[in-house]
């Protein structure tokens, strides 16, 4: 899958915020940014010589401790649990305690190294400056923590939806395949009584179907060429079993495109299987199934037409309905609202018209 530069940047930014592998770099970037933000303040210039850097690192350590207490203690234990008032009270108390501890540290450890001509107004201004600097940092880190939780929650929801959809798709596919094999075995059973030679041919052909099921159908996608070959083999089997039955598969698509286009396996099997069952002529007349496959404007167009006998009803309506319901649900899961399925049931023909994106 290719991403546009803007999409790639958005994805990387989100990953950088939440992925554990970026944790060290994420914290390092924040610590450097916070240091340079504090470096631009005035308060540490009130002290002489090397002690001004001691003051800078002392304040930096206290404020960083406050930030991380907020991130890893207050936000998860109170804010995320909707205890907003408690969170706000504890946040204010931590801010007051932190700033008072800084003021106490100034008086206890650094008072004698203070530049004498600094006015008290400047000292008050420096304290206000520290408060104003502390508030946006705390709020920013809280917002980032909330954003991380939102992204992680959405990832979990998407993963759960994807897993649920995958499980449902597998369940639907696993219902369709035995249903198909059940009908094939019923055909073999009928042929063994009436024409054992044909039954032997059908059994050989059935082994090809099972090979396809084992090696192709287990994949998420299969080549359109393989699917067309599978349908051709199935219809050939029906032609061996039934007299006066004909079929035609037309592909108005370049062979190179057919051999490079992938679709979900057994996507058309249920439609063709139903077409074969509905095409039975009660009077022993000619019956047919016609399939057309084309690709235009990145849309695959599948048409399946079968002849109908007005008085014929399928004996296993329940199973037939299950197959159509499953394939419809499968199309919904695979393509959402980007597919178009229309079924026309006339007196002489039954027509399935399906369009899917490729």
């Amino acid at each position: 899958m290719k991403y546009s530069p803007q999409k790639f940047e958005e994805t990387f930014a989100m990953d950088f915020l939440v992925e554990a592998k970026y944790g060290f770099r994420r914290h390092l970037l924040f610590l450097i940014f916070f240091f340079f933000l504090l470096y631009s303040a005035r308060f540490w210039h009130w002290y002489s010589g090397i002690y001004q850097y001691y003051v800078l690192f002392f304040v930096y350590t206290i404020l960083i401790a406050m930030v991380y207490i907020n991130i890893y203690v207050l936000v998860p234990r109170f804010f995320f649990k909707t205890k907003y008032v408690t969170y706000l009270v504890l946040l204010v108390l931590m801010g007051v305690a932190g700033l008072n501890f800084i003021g106490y540290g100034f008086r206890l450890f650094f008072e004698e190294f203070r530049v004498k001509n600094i006015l008290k107004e400047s000292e008050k201004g420096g304290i206000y400056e520290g408060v104003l600097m502390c508030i946006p940092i705390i709020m920013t880190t809280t917002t980032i923590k909330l954003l991380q939780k939102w992204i992680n929650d959405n990832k979990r929801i998407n993963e759960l939806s994807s897993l649920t959809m995958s499980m449902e798709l597998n369940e639907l596919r696993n219902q369709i395949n035995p249903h198909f094999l059940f009908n094939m075995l019923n055909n073999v059973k009928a042929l063994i009584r009436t024409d054992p030679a044909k039954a032997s041919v059908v059994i050989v052909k059935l082994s090809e179907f099972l090979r396809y099921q084992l090696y192709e159908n287990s994949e998420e996608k299969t080549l359109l060429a393989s699917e067309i070959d599978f349908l051709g083999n199935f219809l050939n089997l029906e032609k061996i079993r039934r007299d006066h039955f004909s079929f035609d598969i037309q592909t108005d698509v370049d062979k190179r495109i057919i051999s490079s286009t992938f679709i979900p396996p057994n996507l058309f099997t249920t439609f063709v299987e139903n077409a074969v069952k509905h095409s039975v002529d009660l009077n022993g007349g000619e019956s047919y199934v016609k399939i057309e496959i084309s690709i235009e404007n990145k849309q695959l167009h599948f048409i399946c037409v079968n002849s109908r006998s007005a008085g014929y009803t399928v004996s296993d309506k329940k199973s037939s309905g299950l197959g159509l319901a499953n394939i419809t649900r499968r199309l919904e899961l695979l393509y959402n609202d980007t597919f178009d399925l229309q079924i026309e049931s006339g007196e002489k023909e039954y027509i399935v018209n399906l369009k899917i994106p490729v």
Side-chain angles (χ1 to χ4, degrees), residues 65-132:
M66 291 169 60
V67 166
Y68 278 91
I69 289 172
N70 176 59
I71 292 175
Y72 291 107
V73 179
L74 299 185
V75 172
R77 294 189 179 183
F78 300 100
F79 196 90
F80 286 168
K81 295 182 179 180
T82 67
K83 299 177 181 179
Y84 303 122
V85 175
T86 306
Y87 168 76
L88 188 60
V89 169
L90 291 174
L91 186 64
V92 171
L93 289 175
M94 182 183 70
V96 171
L99 291 175
N100 276 284
F101 185 77
I102 290 172
Y104 178 76
F106 283 173
R107 291 190 298 272
L108 184 63
F109 301 111
F110 306 111
E111 186 64 33
E112 59 181 299
F113 308 106
R114 183 181 177 86
V115 177
K116 301 301 181 184
N117 59 356
I118 295 294
L119 299 175
K120 291 293 183 182
E121 288 76 9
S122 298
E123 183 176 349
K124 290 180 181 178
I127 293 173
Y128 292 137
E129 185 181 52
V131 173
L132 292 175

Side-chain angles (χ1 to χ4, degrees), residues 53-67:
Y53 296 103
Y54 293 162
V55 168
L56 176 62
F57 281 103
F58 172 72
V59 175
Y60 177 76
T61 302
I62 300 302
L63 292 183
I64 283 294
M66 291 169 60
V67 166

Side-chain angles (χ1 to χ4, degrees), residues 23-43:
F24 175 77
R25 280 173 279 183
R26 187 165 60 237
H27 287 283
L28 182 63
L29 185 64
F30 169 72
L31 292 173
I32 292 172
F33 167 76
F34 189 80
F35 177 80
F36 280 105
L37 185 67
L38 205 61
Y39 187 84
S40 64
R42 296 173 298 165
F43 67 90

Side-chain angles (χ1 to χ4, degrees), residues 229-292:
D229 289 342
F230 176 77
L231 296 178
N233 288 333
F234 172 48
L235 291 170
N236 264 314
L237 256 175
E238 190 65 17
K239 191 173 182 179
I240 294 170
R241 191 179 71 88
R242 273 167 53 186
D243 296 326
H244 311 297
F245 174 77
S246 64
F247 72 92
D248 183 34
I249 299 178
Q250 294 184 6
T251 54
D252 187 18
V253 187
D254 189 278
K255 287 185 178 179
R256 290 174 297 179
I257 296 176
I258 290 178
S259 299
S260 60
T261 300
F262 288 85
I263 62 170
N266 279 342
L267 195 62
F268 308 132
T269 302
T270 299
F271 297 125
V272 177
E273 185 187 4
N274 284 339
V276 166
K277 284 189 292 185
H278 285 89
S279 68
V280 173
D281 192 292
L282 294 175
N283 301 318
E286 293 293 329
S287 59
Y288 61 84
V289 171
K290 297 178 182 178
I291 295 173
E292 294 180 22

